[in-house]
Amino acid sequence: DEIEKLGGITKQFAAHHHDARGEVNEAVYERFGCELVHHASARKQIRQRAKCPTEEFGDEGLQIGKDFEAIYFPGEGVGHSLFRWRSRGKSLLFTSHVVSFVNEDWDVDFNPDPDPSQRPEHFAKLPGLEADYALSGLTPEADPDYHEFTDKTRKSLSKAIQAKLKTR
């Protein structure tokens, strides 16, 4: 009811097929009419977990308005995505479990090789991802729930992503 008072939900996003929660996604769809949005390569796994209507995006990602984008970022398998939302002059990067800041270093699980159709131009912009905060789906209990970027950690994330791209 509180969400409805705020205007409802127009889209649900799954960064990975593990994020599809079946009954939850279906109930949210029934209440608000919002499809579950995911990368096209996760279709089979998403359909096994959730039966509500879906919307897919491709390797080029998805831009919604001026303030939200889905960025394809395959990890241990295809279908992983990052999401970036700009609000009130700040940019939040939702990294799921493929990017996390642990012990003052970035753990980046980036592996586009499981999908041979990938073209490097889809990933060229990744080292330049700008954000003020990173919110990971994998945070050790003793660590903060989010990371506030500094120039140093922004550069180190860029280098970590570039290193993964070079191994391709």
Side-chain angles (χ1 to χ4, degrees), residues 13-44:
F13 290 90
H16 184 250
H17 70 270
H18 293 138
D19 296 334
R21 299 285 187 232
E23 291 178 6
V24 172
N25 301 114
E26 292 154 20
V28 172
Y29 173 77
E30 289 298 319
R31 176 77 185 259
F32 299 103
C34 53
E35 296 176 325
L36 179 60
V37 182
H38 61 86
H39 186 268
S41 64
R43 175 187 308 124
K44 182 178 178 183

Side-chain angles (χ1 to χ4, degrees), residues 3-152:
I3 291 172
E4 193 147 16
K5 288 178 189 174
L6 293 171
I9 299 171
T10 57
K11 296 189 183 299
Q12 305 177 65
F13 290 90
H16 184 250
H17 70 270
H18 293 138
D19 296 334
R21 299 285 187 232
E23 291 178 6
V24 172
N25 301 114
E26 292 154 20
V28 172
Y29 173 77
E30 289 298 319
R31 176 77 185 259
F32 299 103
C34 53
E35 296 176 325
L36 179 60
V37 182
H38 61 86
H39 186 268
S41 64
R43 175 187 308 124
K44 182 178 178 183
Q45 296 96 337
I46 293 283
R47 296 310 305 154
Q48 290 172 348
R49 293 173 166 261
K51 304 302 180 211
C52 64
T54 63
E55 177 183 338
E56 298 177 2
F57 60 91
D59 300 346
E60 68 284 350
L62 176 68
Q63 183 74 43
I64 299 175
K66 294 179 181 180
D67 63 349
F68 187 87
E69 66 182 316
I71 303 160
Y72 181 46
F73 195 92
E76 79 263 6
V78 297
H80 285 272
S81 300
L82 307 177
F83 303 114
R84 184 168 48 182
W85 177 46
R86 294 172 186 89
S87 177
R88 300 180 186 143
K90 298 292 181 185
S91 181
L92 305 162
L93 183 63
F94 296 86
T95 64
S96 181
H97 64 279
V98 294
V99 177
S100 53
F101 192 67
V102 180
N103 298 325
E104 300 297 314
D105 200 11
W106 290 102
D107 181 17
V108 177
D109 181 11
F110 178 74
N111 181 17
D113 290 331
D115 186 346
S117 70
Q118 297 305 306
R119 295 182 307 278
E121 63 269 16
H122 290 303
F123 303 120
K125 69 178 182 178
L126 293 176
L129 280 177
E130 288 290 327
D132 297 296
Y133 299 95
L135 293 95
S136 176
L138 181 63
T139 305
E141 190 173 316
D143 287 357
D145 293 334
Y146 65 92
H147 172 75
E148 184 173 3
F149 281 99
T150 64
D151 286 341
K152 181 180 176 182

Side-chain angles (χ1 to χ4, degrees), residues 108 110 127 156-168:
V108 177
F110 178 74
S156 66
L157 176 58
S158 177
K159 286 180 182 178
I161 293 171
Q162 285 175 346
K164 294 288 184 169
L165 286 170
K166 287 179 183 175
T167 64
R168 179 168 182 13

